[in-house]
Amino acid sequence: AYEIVDCDWSSDVCSSDLDTGAEATLGARAAGVEAQVRLSSRWRPDGRRDDEARLLQLAASGSLDEWQWSAGKLRLGWDVGQGFRPNDVVAQEPRRSLLPTDTEGRGLLQLERFWGADQALSVVWVRPDHVRGEDPQGAEESALALRGYQRLGAWDLHAFGRWGRHSRGSLGAALSWVASDALELHASVRTLQARDGWAEGQASGATLVTANPWHLATRGAAGQALLGLGWTGEQRQGLLLEAWHDGTAPDDATWRRWGARNQALQAWARQPGLPAAALGAAAGNLAWQASPLASANLRQDNVFARASWQPEPWSLTLDLLWQPADGGRLWTAGAQWQGDRWRLDLAWRVAAGPDAALLRQLPSRRTAVAAASWRF
């Protein structure tokens, strides 16, 4: 795979050089046990090589009377959304990735029961190994999760519950309706007693601090909601439209204070005659300001659109993530060619919109990726 990030194509200048990487995913299944490992290497422009071996899945499964059980490290994605999934309370997988990839599972214990093809119940204990000792946040938190499923004709209905060690309870529901051969509608909603989010500390204005003021903390109640539709044409063309609200993302007031501090720090650093130590301290404080940009959703309100076309053996997509609060836009174009064993993936992503838009503040504003895969 090859990646170029943050390039100014108008002047043919790139702020980072070409990275090259290779990876292999190996899997096996036998006697009710499934395993998958990813081996990867990445060669940096300075000659360094980063090697990694990561266990993606290792789980055993079986039956106990009318129940099915699974234990180990397992992928378990829930909910009906594409660009965002409020009720993905177990896997909490990143969405809208540039390239298709095998995600890493979570350590869990699961019991499932099925009543034909129309009803199902799942009970999951996520990260039981974290029930004592340290108290990890997010997807690593020890929690109990439950999902109920019911099909009623063209309707799929889902109910969700979760109780986390420190995030306490949340309840959610989702539905999808196949209105016709071409049209599908879906919606999802969740309410949370508490959630993990970025806290900004006491730093403000151009005040220099000696430690990162941004930190993840358990915050108060919040709500999430998503509404979407999917349309499929006779020539294998498709359109996906979704809008969502994520109350766990930083609010507009937080981002206004964030922007004001950025401007104040930059203005302070431009003062003439500052010693090198002071300039270094200002640069460090500005670097810490990038911390909340790691949020799953930068803005609470988002609109997502995807157009696709699949003229075999190609699959072509064009995505737009729009944030109405500041007009920021994230465009992503992708192309995939699939042969018998070889697959070629190309992707291009660029942030657009006003200069002050949050998406324009991301460390990588332009990204191009090419990857070739061989299945054996």
Side-chain angles (χ1 to χ4, degrees):
Y2 302 91
E3 181 177 6
I4 308 173
V5 296
D6 204 9
C7 296
D8 184 352
W9 301 108
S10 62
S11 58
D12 294 328
V13 174
C14 293
S15 62
S16 69
D17 296 321
L18 188 70
D19 281 1
T20 306
E23 67 179 40
T25 303
L26 310 175
R29 178 183 300 174
V33 177
E34 182 175 359
Q36 191 175 42
V37 178
R38 181 170 60 211
L39 308 175
S40 62
S41 292
R42 187 161 185 168
W43 291 268
R44 303 290 183 179
D46 59 6
R48 292 183 299 113
R49 191 183 78 181
D50 298 329
D51 297 325
E52 183 183 48
R54 184 169 292 275
L55 181 65
L56 300 181
Q57 283 200 126
L58 179 60
S61 60
S63 60
L64 186 65
D65 292 332
E66 296 179 336
W67 292 83
Q68 306 292 319
W69 62 267
S70 301
K73 193 172 189 178
L74 186 67
R75 296 190 193 95
L76 191 62
W78 288 351
D79 214 355
V80 296
Q82 297 297 319
F84 176 57
R85 290 183 170 179
N87 288 298
D88 186 19
V89 296
V90 176
Q92 300 186 36
E93 295 176 348
R95 309 300 299 170
R96 308 182 304 279
S97 59
L98 265 177
L99 294 177
T101 184
D102 292 318
T103 57
E104 187 172 354
R106 306 289 180 194
L108 56 84
L109 300 173
Q110 177 180 233
L111 284 175
E112 288 185 296
R113 183 172 179 180
F114 300 90
W115 292 267
D118 297 330
Q119 291 180 314
L121 177 66
S122 302
V123 182
V124 181
W125 184 5
V126 191
R127 294 315 306 253
D129 54 319
H130 287 169
V131 72
R132 296 183 181 275
E134 296 182 2
D135 193 10
Q137 296 175 320
E140 297 302 307
E141 176 191 24
S142 183
L144 292 174
L146 180 144
R147 179 184 68 165
Y149 168 77
Q150 174 72 60
R151 175 180 293 173
L152 296 174
W155 293 83
D156 288 339
L157 308 177
H158 307 259
F160 306 92
R162 186 181 189 273
W163 182 270
R165 183 179 174 188
H166 71 267
S167 62
R168 298 186 289 169
S170 69
L171 293 174
L175 61 86
S176 64
W177 174 44
V178 181
S180 68
D181 291 341
L183 183 64
E184 176 269 346
L185 305 175
H186 55 272
S188 180
V189 63
R190 183 184 178 206
T191 179
L192 305 87
Q193 283 187 297
R195 87 281 188 191
D196 295 323
W198 288 100
E200 53 193 314
Q202 301 299 317
S204 62
T207 303
L208 299 182
V209 294
T210 58
N212 191 348
W214 293 93
H215 60 281
L216 286 173
T218 302
R219 315 298 296 274
Q224 299 172 317
L226 173 140
L227 182 64
L229 67 86
W231 173 83
T232 304
E234 295 181 355
Q235 304 301 318
R236 304 188 70 182
Q237 67 271 48
L239 179 64
L240 172 70
L241 296 175
E242 290 185 334
W244 64 80
H245 173 80
D246 181 9
T248 69
D251 58 20
D252 291 345
T254 298
W255 286 121
R256 282 194 294 270
R257 293 191 295 270
W258 178 86
R261 176 164 169 77
N262 288 346
Q263 293 179 357
L265 287 170
Q266 293 172 19
W268 186 89
R270 286 193 291 266
Q271 296 179 90
L274 288 178
L279 290 173
N285 275 252
L286 275 170
W288 284 330
Q289 288 293 97
S291 298
L293 295 176
S295 304
N297 286 307
L298 297 182
R299 291 288 186 179
Q300 294 189 346
D301 297 317
N302 301 265
V303 177
F304 180 70
R306 167 176 290 176
S308 61
W309 184 36
Q310 295 181 326
E312 292 186 349
W314 288 92
S315 177
L316 309 174
T317 59
L318 179 63
D319 298 355
L320 170 63
L321 175 67
W322 174 50
Q323 297 181 334
D326 58 18
R329 302 183 299 277
L330 195 65
W331 291 94
T332 306
Q336 181 183 105
W337 176 86
Q338 179 68 63
D340 292 337
R341 291 194 174 184
W342 281 97
R343 189 185 75 196
L344 175 65
D345 290 281
L346 305 171
W348 160 252
R349 176 170 288 176
V350 59
D355 290 340
L358 283 178
L359 290 172
R360 293 288 301 274
Q361 314 308 312
L362 293 173
S364 297
R365 300 173 189 171
R366 301 172 181 88
T367 306
V369 179
S373 306
W374 178 60
R375 186 176 299 274
F376 58 92

